[in-house]
Amino acid sequence: MSNLTTYFAWDRSVRIFHWINFVCVIALIAVGLAILNDDALDLTNDGKVVLKTIHVLIGYVFAVNLAFRLLWAFIGGPRSRWRAILPGGRGYLGEVRNYLASIRMGQPRQYVGHNPLGKLSVAILLLLLLSQAVSGLVLAGTDLFFPPLGAWIAGWVAAPGIDSTTLVPYSREMYDAAAFDAMRAFRKPFATVHTYGFYVILVFGILHILAVVITEIREGGGLVSAMITGRKTLDGTPADRH
Ligand code: HEM
């Protein structure tokens, strides 16, 4: 008969971060897809600005939530810290080998926190989300003159005699042509990172969900409910019990 034990895995801050992030990323993907296809959707310039404004407002919630999580990794509980979520460090490769071997033997090692491959996945996801937040915040300035860079960008591209605080997106007659071209050149790499980042996040987001579902089926532990209640129920002795 198996011996079930319940362990405390994720603190409340991590769980709240996770679900706010989940909702924001899905919403940003949905609105981002509409922005990507704005020509096919036959939107007016005003329609495009409305879509981008909605995307950026959700983006602020997403970016603040992400910034909170990155800070929490310095000050939160032991399972929220960098040490618990980053791959690498002494013995990491050995841990990966042991974990893979245990899967091959049909007796996967159980973990209260992330298993060694889970750490890799979390680190990649956080890095991708950070890159998307930074590039998005730059685009919010270059495309809509929104904070944090909007005032500086508007001051850069405003035509002589135009008050930069009154600049309107897509109003070329208000811009200095040379400054606008220079600003678009500055913007370009951020737009490229943001667009490719979207596809990579889409693929990794799907892999992340698949990995959770497969791990749950093979190893149990209630991974999804653990992200709601904070507790995992395991039938073996976890490898990271401390
Ligand atoms: C997971 C997070 C995010 C995803 C998946 C995402 C996705 C996308 C996609 C697919 C586009 C269309 C790209 C294109 O037109 O080539 C886009 C555009 C944009 N995003 Fe995001 N985004 C995210 C976060 C953010 C954040 C945090 C902000 C700012 C606060 C932001 C601001 C913008 C802006 C201003 C545009 C318009 C750029 C343009 O004109 O192409 N995004 N985003």
Side-chain angles (χ1 to χ4, degrees):
M1 206 176 80
S2 63
N3 194 2
L4 291 177
T5 314
T6 299
Y7 300 90
F8 185 69
W10 314 125
D11 63 35
R12 186 198 298 238
S13 301
V14 166
R15 286 178 274 144
I16 292 176
F17 156 77
H18 180 272
W19 294 113
I20 292 180
N21 187 62
F22 177 82
V23 172
C24 286
V25 170
I26 298 218
L28 287 164
I29 286 176
V31 184
L33 266 176
I35 299 175
L36 259 182
N37 295 292
D38 54 4
D39 287 334
L41 293 171
D42 214 12
L43 291 176
T44 59
N45 280 345
D46 283 349
K48 290 180 192 173
V49 171
V50 169
L51 263 189
K52 288 184 187 184
T53 304
I54 295 172
H55 186 80
V56 169
L57 294 180
I58 305 170
Y60 286 146
V61 177
F62 161 80
V64 169
N65 189 48
L66 181 63
F68 163 77
R69 178 65 187 94
L70 299 181
L71 185 71
W72 193 244
F74 290 102
I75 59 176
R79 293 206 185 279
S80 324
R81 298 240 179 175
W82 290 120
R83 190 199 293 244
I85 57 179
L86 288 186
R90 210 176 334 134
Y92 179 71
L93 286 180
E95 234 191 299
V96 172
R97 256 182 256 121
N98 287 341
Y99 181 61
L100 291 176
S102 73
I103 291 178
R104 276 194 298 275
M105 285 176 349
Q107 293 248 300
R109 297 182 89 181
Q110 295 183 328
Y111 286 82
V112 179
H114 297 292
N115 68 46
L117 296 182
K119 283 186 181 174
L120 193 63
S121 139
V122 169
I124 293 173
L125 279 166
L126 284 177
L127 205 64
L128 284 169
L129 296 176
L130 181 62
S131 149
Q132 204 68 3
V134 171
S135 56
L137 288 170
V138 173
L139 294 176
T142 59
D143 289 37
L144 301 174
F145 308 117
F146 274 16
L149 300 184
W152 169 63
I153 304 273
W156 182 9
V157 302
I162 298 276
D163 175 0
S164 64
T165 59
T166 63
L167 278 199
V168 179
Y170 293 103
S171 303
R172 279 189 171 244
E173 67 287 354
M174 302 179 89
Y175 311 151
D176 175 87
F180 184 71
D181 287 347
M183 185 276 275
R184 298 292 289 183
F186 160 80
R187 169 193 187 275
K188 200 163 183 229
F190 295 99
T192 307
V193 165
H194 203 72
T195 306
Y196 285 110
F198 157 72
Y199 291 112
V200 181
I201 285 176
L202 203 60
V203 171
F204 267 88
I206 292 170
L207 287 179
H208 171 68
I209 293 171
L210 278 179
V212 169
V213 171
I214 292 170
T215 309
E216 174 67 57
I217 291 170
R218 293 163 77 135
E219 301 173 23
L223 293 191
V224 179
S225 56
M227 208 29 107
I228 297 170
T229 63
R231 289 181 294 277
K232 271 187 196 176
T233 303
L234 303 174
D235 62 2
T237 308
D240 62 342
R241 186 172 184 192
H242 41 244

